[in-house]
């Protein structure tokens, strides 16, 4: 077991922004099925002639059973449930207004800064680590840095759902090279990359933003502190979770495949996955990553008080915990937030950490773990120091 003073950095605060609107499975399924009925009625002749397959309805029971999700928070509910649209309505903002992704990151960051009693002057850098950036540049992190009055530097990074774990590792590295404190934010507007007309995935994601403040561990803690005992990252290329949205999309017009895209030119640029394959391939990858990491840091899996896992799918988390522990984990050991938040990509494990750590005692050890597209997986082992 490493000495408590072996840690170079500690987590001293977190913040969470939850959007005001929530959509229940019943509401989502009612909108989806109304869209299906309308589509099938409009194409009744082709369907009857066997030229077109009818769309199949979605079901609340399937969603809850397959994923554990009961509802999700979103930045715009009306646009998603409007069957003419089935996408959030997010008006463009002028260049001199704070962008939406920066706005929600700043709200989460301010909560973390209030908790740790810090102002912008106390931070040396900002990392925006998320699955979907609002634009190519200027970096979201630089806009967030400016809004918070932070001197120094800021940059974006994207490792999909593992972004927060990789962001903590990156922040730790910056602290090792001299930074006093690093703010790491995860604004995720997943509803904007989700195809709400796709039965297989329309229920998966929600919107949220989280923030984590990292500090050098050489001084006495001023408040809550979680020593980082170790971080580990793993990636392995896979096309089983993919989003083809990018800056070259407009160049694809009239070049073949993209010209065949449906009436909505963005539909084929949204999230898609081979859910079964993801399940089968990611569970062992993540389970082994955590188990080996714990072993190398000298922590027995049974001594881990809590796992704050990425929140993608309930059964997936249960399998991962079982692979690490050799037995089932209960809600106390591996808390679930995806029932109300759904999959919030990189933010999921940080929401779990934010909401489910107050009851732990000094000396307790936990694991923050994110995983997803890439494939990518990151593990952060922490111990409560104050
Ligand atoms: N409503 C009702 N039935 C549905 C449905 C819906 N919305 N979506 C799919 N089904 C049906 C399918 O048509 C299929 O029917 P069939 O057996 O008659 O062919 C059946 O349900 C099972 O579909 P399948 O896609 O195999 O479901 P699943 O049990 O694998 O669960 C996921 C789907 C996506 C929830 C699951 O695979 C998963 O969570 N995988 C992990 C992926 C992940 O977490 N990705 C996030 C990225 S980080």
């Amino acid at each position: 077991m490493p000495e408590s003073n072996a840690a170079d950095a500690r987590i001293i605060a977190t913040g969470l922004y939850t959007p005001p609107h929530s959509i229940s499975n019943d509401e989502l399924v009612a909108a989806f099925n109304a869209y299906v009925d309308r589509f099938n009625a409009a194409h009744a002749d082709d369907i009857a002639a066997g030229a077109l397959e009818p769309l199949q309805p979605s079901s609340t029971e399937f969603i809850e059973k397959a994923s554990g999700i009961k509802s999700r928070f979103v930045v715009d509910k009306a646009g998603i449930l409007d069957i003419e649209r089935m996408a959030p309505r997010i008006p463009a903002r002028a260049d001199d207004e704070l962008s939406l992704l920066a706005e929600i990151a700043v709200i989460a960051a301010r909560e973390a800064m209030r908790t740790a009693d810090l102002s912008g002057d106390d931070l040396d850098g900002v990392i925006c680590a998320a699955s979907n950036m609002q634009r190519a540049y200027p970096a979201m992190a630089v806009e967030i840095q400016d809004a918070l009055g932070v001197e120094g530097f800021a940059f974006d990074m994207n490792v999909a759902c593992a972004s927060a774990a990789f962001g903590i590792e990156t922040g730790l590295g910056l602290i090792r090279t001299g930074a006093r404190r690093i703010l790491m934010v995860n604004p995720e507007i997943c509803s904007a990359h989700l195809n709400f007309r796709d039965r297989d995935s329309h229920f998966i994601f929600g919107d949220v933003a989280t923030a984590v403040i990292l500090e050098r561990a050489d001084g006495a803690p001023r408040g809550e502190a979680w020593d980082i005992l170790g971080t580990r990252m793993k990636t392995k290329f896979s096309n089983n979770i993919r989003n083809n949205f990018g800056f070259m999309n407009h160049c694809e017009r009239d070049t073949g495949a993209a010209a065949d895209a449906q009436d909505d030119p963005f539909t084929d640029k949204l999230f898609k996955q081979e859910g079964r394959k993801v399940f089968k391939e990611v569970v062992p990858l993540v389970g082994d990553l955590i188990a080996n990491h714990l072993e190398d840091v000298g922590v027995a899996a049974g001594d881990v008080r809590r796992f704050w896992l990425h929140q993608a799918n309930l059964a997936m988390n249960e399998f991962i915990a079982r692979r690490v522990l050799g037995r089932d984990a209960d809600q106390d050991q591996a808390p679930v937030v995806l029932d109300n938040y759904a999959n919030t990509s990189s933010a999921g494990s940080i929401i779990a950490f934010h909401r489910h750590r107050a009851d732990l005692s000094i000396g307790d050890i936990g694991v923050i773990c994110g995983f997803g597209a890439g494939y990518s997986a990151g593990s952060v082992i922490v111990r409560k120091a104050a």
Side-chain angles (χ1 to χ4, degrees):
M1 176 83 69
E3 297 298 318
S4 59
N5 62 4
D8 293 324
R10 52 172 81 120
I11 295 173
I12 57 166
T14 56
L16 170 65
Y17 166 75
T18 301
H21 313 289
S22 172
I23 299 179
S24 69
N25 287 344
D26 281 346
E27 291 172 309
L28 192 71
V29 166
F32 182 89
N33 289 351
Y35 158 75
V36 165
D37 289 345
R38 197 188 56 160
F39 179 95
N40 289 345
H43 298 88
D45 291 346
D46 283 347
I47 292 170
L52 189 69
E53 284 294 318
L55 295 182
Q56 297 299 317
S58 184
S59 111
T60 297
E61 295 71 34
F62 170 84
I63 293 172
E64 192 168 339
K65 190 161 165 286
S67 69
I69 296 166
K70 296 177 182 165
S71 58
R72 70 282 296 142
F73 291 97
V74 291
V75 293
D76 176 59
K77 179 169 179 170
I80 293 170
L81 297 183
D82 175 357
I83 65 165
E84 302 292 340
R85 181 179 177 86
M86 299 181 83
R89 210 171 258 110
I90 303 176
R93 294 183 181 183
D95 288 354
D96 59 1
E97 289 179 90
L98 190 66
S99 59
L100 180 60
L101 217 67
E103 179 183 303
I104 65 172
V106 163
I107 296 171
R110 288 214 167 106
E111 183 187 353
M113 290 163 72
R114 262 194 317 275
T115 303
D117 195 21
L118 297 173
S119 69
D121 293 341
D122 300 311
L123 302 170
D124 287 339
V126 179
I127 300 170
C128 179
S131 281
N132 293 283
M133 298 301 167
Q134 188 161 340
R135 58 173 180 257
Y137 46 79
M140 300 311 305
V142 180
E143 188 182 3
I144 295 161
Q145 172 196 6
D146 181 63
L148 293 170
V150 177
E151 286 295 321
F153 59 89
F155 58 89
D156 292 349
M157 53 184 283
N158 178 352
V159 204
C161 294
S163 295
F166 279 59
I168 291 173
E169 154 76 25
T170 306
L172 172 66
L174 293 169
I175 284 174
R176 284 186 172 140
T177 54
R180 290 168 304 161
R181 290 182 202 91
I182 297 292
L183 168 70
M184 197 272 308
V185 289
N186 322 103
E188 293 284 11
I189 301 189
C190 301
S191 63
H193 84 155
L194 188 51
N195 181 358
F196 286 97
R197 294 189 182 97
D198 175 32
R199 176 176 179 252
D200 288 346
S201 65
H202 74 116
F203 53 89
I204 287 182
F205 289 103
D207 303 335
V208 81
T210 49
V212 174
I213 298 177
L214 303 167
E215 180 180 75
R216 278 167 63 164
D218 52 359
R222 295 173 305 116
E224 186 188 10
W226 293 82
D227 283 342
I228 298 174
L229 301 186
T231 56
R232 181 160 296 180
M233 304 180 288
K234 172 77 188 164
T235 51
K236 186 175 188 303
F237 185 65
S238 167
N239 272 320
N240 290 332
I241 314 172
R242 193 163 171 123
N243 178 329
N244 280 322
F245 190 79
F247 77 102
M248 289 193 289
N249 291 156
H250 72 290
C251 309
E252 294 167 356
R253 276 174 305 165
D254 308 324
T255 56
D260 302 332
Q262 307 167 24
D263 354 327
D264 181 345
F266 294 113
T267 300
D268 70 336
K269 308 299 177 211
L270 299 172
F271 167 87
K272 58 185 179 185
Q273 73 168 350
E274 295 284 341
R276 286 264 157 144
K277 289 186 186 160
V278 172
F279 202 108
K280 239 178 91 195
E281 292 168 8
V282 171
V283 167
L285 185 140
V286 175
D288 293 351
L289 175 86
I290 298 175
N292 294 335
H293 190 198
L294 285 169
E295 192 179 333
D296 292 349
V297 171
V299 174
D303 290 340
V304 176
R305 178 71 182 77
R306 190 152 293 162
F307 292 90
W308 298 283
L309 299 177
H310 171 46
Q311 306 279 314
N313 175 286
L314 185 56
M316 210 166 171
N317 283 14
E318 288 168 353
F319 272 99
I320 289 169
R322 201 174 302 144
R323 199 172 168 104
V324 174
L325 289 169
R327 59 176 163 75
D328 288 339
D330 58 20
Q331 266 277 350
D332 182 61
Q333 252 182 320
V336 173
V337 302
L338 100 164
D339 49 352
N340 294 323
Y341 279 88
N343 183 342
T344 51
S345 196
S346 68
S349 58
I350 307 299
I351 305 173
F353 180 64
H354 178 82
R355 298 186 65 166
H356 295 282
R357 69 171 191 266
D359 57 318
L360 267 54
S361 307
I362 290 177
D364 280 346
I365 291 176
V367 177
I368 298 169
C369 180
F371 48 86
Y375 298 131
S376 55
S379 149
V380 179
I381 303 175
V382 293
R383 178 170 52 205
K384 189 168 165 64

